[in-house]
Amino acid sequence: MALDMAQASGRERARSEWWAGAGWALLGVVLLALCVAVGSLIPGQIAYEESFLGARPCTEAQAKRLTDPCLRTTRATVLSAGPAKSGPKKATVFQVRLRGPVPVPADQPFRLDPDGELSRRIRPGVEVEVVTWRDVQVSVRHDGVSETLPGLPDEATMYVGITLVGVWLTGVAFIAAFGSVRRARRHAGGRPVAPRVGFGMAKIVCVVVVPLAVSFFCLTMWDAWVAAGMTVAVWALIAFPATFAALRWDRDS
C-alpha cells in the first residue's frame, strides 16, 4: 500500500515537473524569438549611427535640396523660451521654440539644460543657429555658446543591451527546463532527487539582477561599445559557473 502511494506520488511529481519543463521551454523559445527580432535591428542602428558620425556640414547645393544627410545649419529667431516640464517624470527643462518658417526638424521645440549657460542667454527675439541632421536636432548655438541637444543617434547599444538581457534570460529558461525534465525522469523512475544547491528566490533575483547591474555600471564607466564588450565578458564569467552549477544541482551525491 505504502509502495503504491509512493509510486503514485512519484508519478504526480513527474507530471508536474514535465509541465514545468514545457513551460520553461516555451518561455525560452519566446525569449529566443525576441532576441532574434531585436538583434536583427542592430546592424541597421549601427549603420544609422555611422552615417550620423560621418556627416559633414551641408554645401550650398545640399542645403537647397533639403534631402541630403548632411549637417544643416538653420538661423532663426526665438519665438518663445522658458522652463517647461518634460517626460513622464516631469523633469524641468528649458524649452525653446523658433519663429517660422523653418525647415523640419528645427520647427519642433527643443530642450536645453535649465542650468546651462545657453539657457541663461536665450530670450525671445534673439537669433540662434540650430544644427540638424535628417530628422534629428543636433545642437544650438548663440553668442559663441553651443549646447548639444539630447536624443542623438545612439540606440545601437540599447538594442545590444536588450539582446544580451534576452540571451541571458533565454539561457536561464532553458537551464530551468533541463532541470525540470531531469527531475521528472527521476521521479518517474522512483529515484530520489536531492539538490546539492538550493535555488530560492534570492538566487533567482541575483541571476537576473547581477547582469543588468553589470551592464549599467559598465555603461557609466566606459563609452557605449566598450561597455557592451565588457558586459559580454563579465556575463560570460557569470554564466559559465552558473550553468555548470545548474546542470549539477539534481545529481546524486
Side-chain angles (χ1 to χ4, degrees):
M1 184 67 177
L3 180 60
D4 292 341
M5 292 182 63
Q7 290 177 344
S9 176
R11 287 194 295 271
E12 183 63 29
R13 291 180 179 179
R15 188 180 300 109
S16 176
E17 290 292 351
W18 278 115
W19 280 110
W24 281 113
L26 179 60
L27 177 61
V29 171
V30 171
L31 289 171
L32 183 60
L34 291 175
C35 291
V36 173
V38 177
S40 65
L41 300 175
I42 294 175
Q45 289 297 321
I46 292 176
Y48 187 68
E49 288 188 25
E50 288 180 343
S51 178
F52 169 69
L53 295 175
R56 295 292 180 267
C58 295
T59 63
E60 185 175 349
Q62 289 174 324
K64 291 179 179 179
R65 284 196 291 267
L66 299 177
T67 56
D68 292 4
C70 53
L71 295 173
R72 191 179 314 279
T73 300
T74 300
R75 294 176 176 84
T77 302
V78 174
L79 175 64
S80 63
K85 299 294 183 180
S86 175
K89 296 183 178 180
K90 302 299 181 182
T92 300
V93 297
F94 190 82
Q95 183 168 287
V96 180
R97 182 183 291 273
L98 302 180
R99 179 177 291 125
V102 290
V104 177
D107 60 336
Q108 298 299 313
F110 50 85
R111 302 186 302 273
L112 300 176
D113 181 359
D115 299 319
E117 184 177 355
L118 199 57
S119 63
R120 293 192 291 269
R121 293 171 177 258
I122 291 183
R123 295 291 181 269
V126 304
E127 186 178 83
V128 297
E129 296 180 352
V130 181
V131 177
T132 59
W133 178 79
R134 293 188 178 179
D135 59 346
V136 179
Q137 297 173 340
V138 178
S139 64
V140 178
R141 183 181 180 86
H142 170 68
D143 197 20
V145 179
S146 178
E147 181 175 324
T148 301
L149 298 173
L152 300 185
D154 60 353
E155 295 183 350
T157 50
M158 180 189 71
Y159 285 102
V160 171
I162 293 174
T163 303
L164 292 175
V165 170
V167 170
W168 174 264
L169 296 180
T170 300
V172 172
F174 282 130
I175 289 171
F178 173 87
S180 294
V181 171
R182 194 171 185 280
R183 284 190 294 273
R185 289 177 176 175
R186 295 187 68 83
H187 282 306
R191 291 173 292 178
V193 178
R196 288 187 173 188
V197 180
F199 195 67
M201 184 57 65
K203 291 187 177 64
I204 294 176
V205 171
C206 289
V207 167
V208 175
V209 171
V210 168
L212 297 179
V214 169
S215 178
F216 173 77
F217 286 114
C218 283
L219 192 57
T220 60
M221 290 186 291
W222 294 288
D223 65 72
W225 286 109
V226 176
M230 289 298 298
T231 303
V232 171
V234 176
W235 279 15
L237 294 176
I238 297 172
F240 178 77
T243 304
F244 180 77
L247 295 176
R248 294 186 60 87
W249 277 333
D250 295 319
R251 293 188 179 180
D252 293 333
S253 301

